[in-house]
Amino acid sequence: MGKLTPKMVAVLEVLSELPEDMNYMGFKGIAAEACGRIRLCDVRRTTRHLWRKGFVQFGRGLWDDDGMPKGSGYCITTDGRAALKEAVNG
């Protein structure tokens, strides 16, 4: 799978903690939830890199619980969860 960087781990950790009914999050949300472990500009680059590896999935045209457009975001994939587990557990 390849070694994950600390920035990749931070993004995957944030996405892995989302509840099932709200499993997509945008760049700003990821940066905010990462609590200073990764900057917004790095979140964009890192998340797109994780997407190319197949560890996150992109979703567009998302809606919130009130039926309002929410934009786009990313969620963790099964491969992403496996890579995160491997990175955390060594």
Side-chain angles (χ1 to χ4, degrees):
M1 269 188 217
K3 185 173 165 99
L4 295 180
T5 66
K7 291 176 184 177
M8 290 176 177
V9 169
V11 170
L12 290 175
E13 283 178 338
V14 168
L15 294 176
S16 72
E17 294 172 2
L18 293 175
E20 288 295 319
D21 60 341
M22 188 199 93
N23 54 358
Y24 284 86
M25 183 175 277
F27 296 133
K28 289 181 182 178
I30 294 170
E33 290 294 318
C35 300
R37 292 184 293 162
I38 183 169
R39 297 177 306 161
L40 179 58
C41 61
D42 293 327
V43 168
R44 287 186 174 103
R45 186 178 317 111
T46 301
T47 305
R48 288 177 179 144
H49 186 79
L50 290 167
W51 175 78
R52 286 190 298 275
K53 289 177 153 296
F55 294 161
V56 299
Q57 178 180 336
F58 178 73
R60 74 178 104 220
L62 305 174
W63 301 84
D64 67 13
D65 292 337
D66 298 324
M68 299 298 293
K70 184 170 120 173
S72 59
Y74 291 84
C75 71
I76 191 168
T77 63
T78 304
D79 288 344
R81 287 187 191 281
L84 177 61
K85 185 177 180 182
E86 183 179 310
V88 171
N89 295 331

